[in-house]
Amino acid sequence: MPRLTFVSPDGNETTVEASTGDSVMQAALAGNVDGIVAECGGAMMCATCHVYVADDWAPKTGTPSDGERAMLDFAASEVKPTSRLSCQIAITDELDGLTVHLPDAQI
Amino acid sequence: MTLQRVVIVGGGHGGFQMAASLRADGFAGEILLVSDEPGLPYQRPPLSKAFLKHGDAARLDLRPSKFFDDNTISLMPQTRVTGIDPDGKHITTGDGKTIGYDHLVLATGSRNARPPIANLDLRNVLSLRNLADASELRTRLSAARHVLVVGGGFIGMEFAAVAPGLGVNATVIEGAERLMSRAVSDTMSAHFLMSHQGWGTSVRLGQFVSELLDDGAGNVAGARLADGTDIAGDIVLIAAGVVPNSELAAEAGLAVSDGIDVDDLLCTSDPNISALGDCCNFPDPLSGRRVRLESVQAATDHARTISKRLTGKPVPYAAVPWFWSDQGDLKLQIAGLGAGADEHVAHKPEKGGLAVLSFSSGRLVSVETVDSASTHMTARKLLASGRIVSKPELAAVNYNLVDYARAV
């Protein structure tokens, strides 16, 4: 099972085991990671599962779709080039070890 | 007065958010979350969409059990509340226990309406509300070929859109002259009608079902319409709207009309009892009209408002309503309430997208979009700002909201 690490704004790290096929958002909720709200459950309606993908992982997680980009524009925290909605990153074996950073706020 | 114990009745999105927000806002007392369903609180929107395909209930949990432990939220599943004593400040459960409260939150939701149709008790007449309903529907679909959907609202049309992928044909029978007539404009109804017909769904508008037909062995075999036409089907999905679960409140003497009446702080007529979500009606901050909404957004934003009040920072409810419905490859998004609108303008904001702007006395009140997330999010922001966005101003930018927002 791929392992994912979430880094909170204060530097705390939480590592969870994830199932391939799930999204990074689902893995965060299942792993009880604080800082992912996921209000709409992955319907791309809310921008409350915002993460910053660690620079070295960005090429592997791909780029946001137009719809995701539009939602990110309304995220509660600063949007950076590595910003993604974690519900839109599908977990593959290739993402084993992925690190994402959590923003200051989701709402 | 410090609250020692908050009891929440109902473990849906709103009930869960109530518990989570109280902890996030620093409430240190006891939190009891009472639900008549088994298991952990779960997401409902996927029940009419992705869940029917994957059938994996564990993926629906809003949070794992560890969350409830870590936040000392006492979950009481499979517990039905049978009465409220507002003077004694306690509730009674189905097994005869009484549970005291300092504050009670009613998050009892709604249940499916049973339309006046004969033979609703036949086998394979199903509805879609909770996980048990969705699991049963999913199981029965494996042996079915043709599903009749009674009601062309969100749930009925979301189901119709996934039906072909589940190996069944769907016929939708809707009493109104257009689809989703309670929620969207004529233009949007027409857009979805065309798409559904393209996906192979048969849609009968302006038709009422008078009775369901018996195959002779107690199974449903189809439906008879009011004009005498018979349509065959081996499953009938009743998706004809909901009724708010407000009986407990009414029996306790709380003010109830279309659901439980609450004020702009989501407080009922009893200062020790709040209500949220589908089961309550509240003053819409924009129009002042009393509304009752059936959406995840209303339930969770109501919960946040109540939590702020209970933790000593009361702020009147002011959230802009938003809704979504995924049907086939179309994503319908709605910001604001179009019910009081007297004028609608349709335009195409970007390639393939559609937006319908609705105005009340010349003021923008609601925006429906398909496949235009930027227009939707801009609408949410503009409506939340309190700014009066007028029709002439928007006409000057060809009704392109994104352009308008950029310029102001």
Side-chain angles (χ1 to χ4, degrees):
Chain A
M1 284 172 113
R3 292 164 69 84
L4 313 180
T5 298
F6 296 84
V7 185
S8 66
D10 63 10
N12 262 337
E13 292 190 6
T14 311
T15 298
V16 303
E17 289 204 341
S19 307
T20 56
D22 274 0
S23 67
V24 170
M25 177 275 282
Q26 286 168 316
L29 294 189
N32 202 25
V33 174
D34 203 16
I36 296 282
V37 175
E39 176 104 324
C40 75
M44 231 162 70
M45 282 298 293
C46 72
T48 63
C49 65
H50 179 196
V51 296
Y52 307 113
V53 175
D55 289 336
D56 43 341
W57 284 95
K60 282 188 178 160
T61 52
T63 52
S65 66
D66 290 347
E68 183 184 339
R69 232 183 277 273
M71 297 306 293
L72 275 169
D73 282 345
F74 295 88
S77 296
E78 183 194 355
V79 178
K80 302 176 184 174
T82 55
S83 284
R84 291 293 308 272
L85 294 183
S86 56
C87 68
Q88 299 300 311
I89 306 174
I91 298 165
T92 58
D93 288 328
E94 212 194 354
L95 293 186
D96 185 20
L98 172 69
T99 297
V100 300
H101 296 262
L102 296 162
D104 294 326
Q106 296 285 8
I107 287 183
Chain B
M1 184 197 67
T2 311
L3 299 175
Q4 302 293 322
R5 181 193 277 174
V6 175
V7 175
I8 304 160
V9 182
H13 283 266
F16 165 77
Q17 189 61 51
M18 188 69 244
S21 288
L22 278 172
R23 282 292 178 251
D25 289 338
F27 176 68
E30 254 185 288
I31 301 175
L32 266 62
L33 182 54
V34 187
S35 170
D36 60 1
E37 290 189 71
L40 297 169
Y42 57 88
Q43 299 172 53
R44 286 169 202 268
L47 295 179
S48 53
K49 313 173 191 95
F51 175 79
L52 291 175
K53 296 177 193 163
H54 65 66
D56 184 357
R59 284 167 71 182
L60 300 180
D61 289 344
L62 281 163
R63 293 292 185 279
S65 59
K66 189 173 187 304
F67 175 88
F68 297 87
D69 297 341
D70 289 356
N71 287 285
T72 18
I73 295 165
S74 304
L75 187 59
M76 299 179 63
Q78 287 178 296
T79 306
R80 183 169 286 279
V81 175
T82 53
I84 303 167
D85 178 349
D87 298 324
K89 294 212 284 184
H90 65 254
I91 57 169
T92 309
T93 60
D95 52 7
K97 288 200 185 101
T98 58
I99 301 171
Y101 64 80
D102 294 308
H103 197 88
L104 181 69
V105 180
L106 298 174
T108 49
S110 53
R111 62 182 178 275
N112 289 323
R114 280 173 72 85
I117 296 173
N119 295 332
L120 281 180
D121 294 329
L122 288 171
R123 202 171 300 121
N124 290 331
V125 179
L126 305 174
S127 57
L128 189 43
R129 185 83 209 143
N130 55 31
L131 179 56
D133 295 335
S135 300
E136 184 174 7
L137 176 61
R138 191 168 179 278
T139 305
R140 305 258 182 134
L141 281 171
S142 57
R145 297 182 59 188
H146 198 104
V147 180
L148 303 184
V149 181
V150 179
F154 281 180
I155 299 292
M157 299 321 293
E158 286 172 5
F159 172 79
V162 296
L166 301 168
V168 292
N169 296 315
T171 298
V172 176
I173 305 154
E174 165 58 45
E177 294 296 338
R178 59 189 185 87
L179 295 175
M180 304 178 285
S181 61
R182 220 159 47 91
V184 301
S185 62
D186 290 17
T187 305
M188 200 52 85
S189 293
H191 185 73
F192 274 81
L193 175 62
M194 206 175 62
S195 301
H196 277 278
Q197 287 171 332
W199 300 327
T201 300
S202 166
V203 181
R204 307 281 192 105
L205 296 171
Q207 300 274 1
F208 291 90
V209 175
S210 59
E211 65 175 301
L212 300 181
L213 307 171
D214 190 334
D215 73 346
N219 302 303
V220 76
R224 178 160 298 160
L225 305 184
D227 67 3
T229 313
D230 287 352
I231 310 175
D234 40 22
I235 286 184
V236 172
L237 179 68
I238 303 291
V242 302
V243 179
N245 291 325
S246 52
E247 287 78 3
L248 273 179
E251 286 159 16
L254 303 185
V256 168
S257 48
D258 173 26
I260 305 162
D261 297 348
V262 296
D263 63 15
D264 61 352
L265 295 169
L266 285 310
C267 194
T268 69
S269 56
D270 182 321
N272 301 313
I273 307 179
S274 301
L276 62 78
D278 289 26
C279 71
C280 78
N281 75 82
F282 63 99
D284 168 38
L286 192 64
S287 68
R289 285 180 300 121
R290 294 196 76 83
V291 293
R292 192 178 63 76
L293 301 180
E294 296 148 14
S295 72
V296 171
Q297 173 275 322
T300 54
D301 281 338
H302 283 170
R304 293 186 181 99
T305 298
I306 296 170
S307 178
K308 293 254 179 309
R309 168 162 50 85
L310 296 184
T311 54
K313 298 160 293 232
V315 184
Y317 185 73
V320 173
W322 51 266
F323 311 85
W324 83 94
S325 179
D326 291 327
Q327 298 175 30
D329 56 358
L330 300 180
K331 179 181 272 302
L332 169 65
Q333 300 176 305
I334 305 171
L337 297 177
D342 47 34
E343 222 177 336
H344 306 275
V345 178
H347 95 111
K348 294 196 184 311
E350 52 204 274
K351 214 170 110 189
L354 171 66
V356 178
L357 283 58
S358 298
F359 300 89
S360 176
S361 306
R363 178 182 183 177
L364 183 73
V365 291
S366 161
V367 178
E368 300 160 5
T369 49
V370 174
D371 299 336
S372 182
S374 54
T375 302
H376 172 71
M377 291 307 285
T378 303
R380 267 158 69 173
K381 208 169 193 178
L382 279 173
L383 291 170
S385 73
R387 183 188 179 88
I388 294 176
V389 181
S390 74
K391 190 162 173 261
E393 282 180 287
L394 287 173
V397 291
N398 293 318
Y399 297 100
N400 188 313
L401 270 195
V402 177
D403 288 350
Y404 171 84
R406 215 173 271 142
V408 295

